[in-house]
């Protein structure tokens, strides 16, 4: 096509295109229905607005074909603006591009049908090249617009995720401000949150955190990942923590993961981060993904290690020198404080179990037959 009209009034192809222009309202409804039937994502887009947009597109295209002219700069800017709206509604770029192909296909069928028995019947084939030239021109604008919008949106979302994490960790901002950011990220501020932590090092390289964020989008629920000091923190809602932990481990070069408890509201999200951080400290000593729920005692004692050290000095000394005694104490705890079950588990006589427990009490001062003594013994052995 050229930049100026070459088809005069009365030209068969111009008459053909103008005949469809007279049916523009009908065609816009038909093409809109085609798009919504073939592309389920458009169910979220306002129907009335889509029909107006389709009408405008078809009208511009048919006028261009009638006059044999390329899309104008003004028309391309309109297509660009429409594409931003679709990006805002979260339409996949492939679906936005597919609408032009669906519309062009329907339009070609209508052109062929309208040309039958007219002077344009044999010449209608000449409209194929300009029709697809329009589609290519507009598709390029749409693809570029979606790429620009995606980059802009990703940068903004990354900033929001980082700000959200900072507000949760400091707790200094008004709750409504934090809640507003949570809502922008797709969270329910009053819902249940769960946090996961892992060392920050694997995610510090350019783009690595983005890879995890994109992988997390494949999971049901919401995930917001960010860096905080020496940690990478993922705040989640309605997400299976095991599924997310698997992705973190795979993408993070076998990184260890701490998993917090499911807690309610923004204050709960902050507490869950602390849970996850403590669970990670336990995970560093063994295990890939460690849940606070499973190691709550060791995790809760981490900050008290120096203060509680004298309680466990003898327990740890005896553990190193008398491993059979320590093994018996652990088996006794695992067997519900039953001498018989402990003996069965270890393959020894119950009297031997009783003797070893007595020796343990004598050497450590912690009586494993009492709750306090057994707890002190187990923590000292395993801690």
């Amino acid at each position: 096509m050229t930049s100026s009209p070459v088809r005069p009034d009365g030209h068969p192809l111009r008459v053909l295109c103008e005949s469809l222009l007279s049916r523009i309202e009908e065609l816009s409804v038909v093409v809109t229905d085609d798009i919504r039937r073939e592309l389920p994502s458009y169910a979220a887009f306002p129907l009335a607005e889509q029909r107006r947009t389709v009408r405008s597109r078809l009208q511009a295209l048919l006028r261009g074909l009638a006059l044999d002219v390329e899309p104008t700069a003004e028309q391309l800017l309109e297509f660009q603006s429409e594409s931003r709206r679709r990006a805002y509604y979260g339409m996949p770029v492939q679906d936005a591009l597919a609408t032009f192909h669906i519309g062009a296909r329907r339009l070609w069928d209508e052109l062929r049908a309208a040309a039958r028995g007219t002077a344009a019947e044999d010449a209608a084939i000449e409209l194929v090249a300009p029709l697809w030239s329009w589609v290519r021109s507009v598709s390029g604008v749409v693809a570029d617009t979606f790429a620009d919008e995606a980059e802009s949106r990703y940068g903004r979302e990354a900033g929001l995720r980082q700000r959200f994490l900072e507000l949760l960790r400091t707790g200094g901002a008004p709750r409504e401000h934090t809640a507003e950011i949570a809502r922008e990220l797709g969270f329910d501020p009053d819902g249940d949150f769960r946090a996961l932590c892992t060392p920050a090092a694997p995610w510090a390289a350019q783009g690595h955190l983005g890879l995890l964020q994109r992988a997390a989008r494949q999971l049901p629920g919401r995930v917001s990942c960010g860096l905080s000091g020496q940690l990478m923190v993922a705040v989640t809602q309605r997400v299976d923590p095991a599924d997310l932990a698997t992705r973190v481990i795979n993408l993070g070069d076998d990184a260890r993961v701490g998993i917090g408890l499911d807690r309610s509201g923004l204050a709960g999200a902050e507490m869950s981060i602390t849970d996850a951080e403590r669970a990670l400290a336990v995970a560093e000593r063994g295990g890939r993904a460690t849940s606070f729920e499973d190691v709550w005692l060791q995790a809760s004692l981490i900050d008290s290690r120096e203060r509680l050290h004298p309680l466990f000095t003898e327990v740890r000394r005896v553990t190193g020198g008398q491993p059979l005694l320590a093994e018996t104490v652990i088996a006794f705890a695992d067997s519900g404080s039953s001498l018989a079950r402990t003996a069965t588990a270890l393959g020894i006589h119950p009297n031997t179990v009783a003797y070893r427990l007595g020796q343990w009490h004598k050497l450590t001062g912690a009586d494993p037959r009492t709750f306090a003594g057994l707890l002190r013994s187990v923590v000292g052995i395993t801690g």
Side-chain angles (χ1 to χ4, degrees), residues 3-18:
S3 59
S4 59
V6 297
R7 292 199 183 106
D9 288 342
H11 189 286
L13 291 181
R14 181 166 176 173
V15 172
L16 174 62
C17 293
E18 288 173 346

Side-chain angles (χ1 to χ4, degrees), residues 7 26 29 69 76 97 129 135 163 186 195 300 327 347 350-351 373-374:
R7 292 199 183 106
E26 171 198 341
V29 171
V69 295
L76 292 177
L97 292 171
V135 171
R163 180 62 176 152
S300 298
E327 178 188 27
N351 288 343
L374 183 59

Side-chain angles (χ1 to χ4, degrees), residues 267-291:
E270 182 181 355
M271 292 178 66
S272 189
I273 293 173
T274 302
D275 294 342
E277 189 173 1
R278 289 171 176 268
L280 177 61
V282 176
E284 295 291 357
R285 290 183 283 173
R288 282 283 177 259
T290 302
S291 174

Side-chain angles (χ1 to χ4, degrees), residues 18-310:
E18 288 173 346
S19 71
L20 292 190
L21 276 169
S22 68
R23 297 169 46 210
I24 195 67
E25 298 297 340
E26 171 198 341
L27 288 175
S28 64
V29 171
V30 171
V31 172
T32 300
D33 290 346
D34 286 347
I35 291 170
R36 294 176 86 89
R37 182 172 56 255
E38 295 187 35
L39 302 173
S41 62
Y42 271 82
F45 197 80
L47 176 60
E49 180 178 345
Q50 187 181 4
R51 282 184 175 159
R52 285 195 303 271
T53 300
V54 169
R55 183 186 186 280
S56 174
R57 288 178 178 178
L58 291 175
Q59 194 169 48
L61 176 54
L62 283 168
R63 285 174 178 167
L65 293 176
L67 300 175
D68 196 25
V69 295
E70 302 278 357
T72 65
E74 183 178 355
Q75 287 169 332
L76 292 177
L77 287 173
E78 289 178 6
F79 285 123
Q80 188 179 69
S81 177
E82 293 167 4
S83 298
R84 287 198 185 97
R85 283 283 292 165
R86 278 139 185 80
Y88 171 81
Y89 272 91
M91 301 291 174
V93 63
Q94 62 268 25
D95 285 4
L97 292 171
T99 62
F100 293 98
H101 293 265
I102 294 170
R105 186 180 66 213
R106 169 65 73 167
L107 192 58
W108 174 242
D109 290 342
E110 295 290 339
L111 284 167
R112 283 195 308 166
R116 291 192 189 103
T118 72
E121 185 170 8
D122 293 334
I125 194 68
E126 296 176 21
L127 293 175
V128 171
L131 173 60
W132 290 106
S133 178
W134 262 75
V135 171
R136 284 196 302 272
S137 295
V138 175
S139 295
V141 170
V142 172
D144 289 345
T145 301
F146 265 78
D148 291 344
E149 287 296 306
E151 183 176 353
S152 173
R153 185 170 64 253
Y154 179 78
R156 182 172 182 277
E157 286 183 1
L160 283 175
R161 288 194 296 270
Q162 193 62 38
R163 180 62 176 152
F164 181 54
L165 178 57
E166 290 169 358
L167 292 175
L168 288 178
R169 300 228 71 183
T170 60
R175 182 191 179 281
E176 189 49 43
H177 179 51
T178 309
E180 181 180 347
I181 294 178
R183 281 189 285 267
E184 284 198 63
L185 292 172
F187 291 108
D188 173 9
D190 299 316
D192 290 339
F193 291 85
R194 187 192 298 269
L196 284 76
C197 287
T198 190
W203 315 101
Q206 183 69 28
H208 282 208
L209 191 60
L211 288 175
L212 176 60
Q213 188 67 48
R214 282 190 286 275
R217 286 199 184 102
Q218 299 170 10
L219 300 173
R222 305 297 300 183
V223 179
S224 177
C225 303
L227 298 177
S228 178
Q230 300 302 308
L231 295 176
M232 190 287 291
V233 180
V235 180
T236 77
Q237 200 166 68
R238 304 181 304 278
V239 170
D240 185 333
D243 285 346
L244 181 57
T246 297
R247 283 166 169 76
V248 171
I249 292 168
N250 290 341
L251 291 173
D253 194 23
D254 285 339
R256 300 189 188 280
V257 179
I259 303 170
L261 294 179
D262 214 16
R263 296 183 181 271
S264 179
L266 295 173
E270 182 181 355
M271 292 178 66
S272 189
I273 293 173
T274 302
D275 294 342
E277 189 173 1
R278 289 171 176 268
L280 177 61
V282 176
E284 295 291 357
R285 290 183 283 173
R288 282 283 177 259
T290 302
S291 174
F292 184 83
E293 183 176 1
D294 298 327
V295 297
W296 62 269
L297 180 58
Q298 301 98 303
S300 298
L301 293 175
I302 284 173
D303 293 345
S304 302
R305 188 174 300 165
E306 186 174 341
R307 181 164 55 86
L308 298 178
H309 181 74

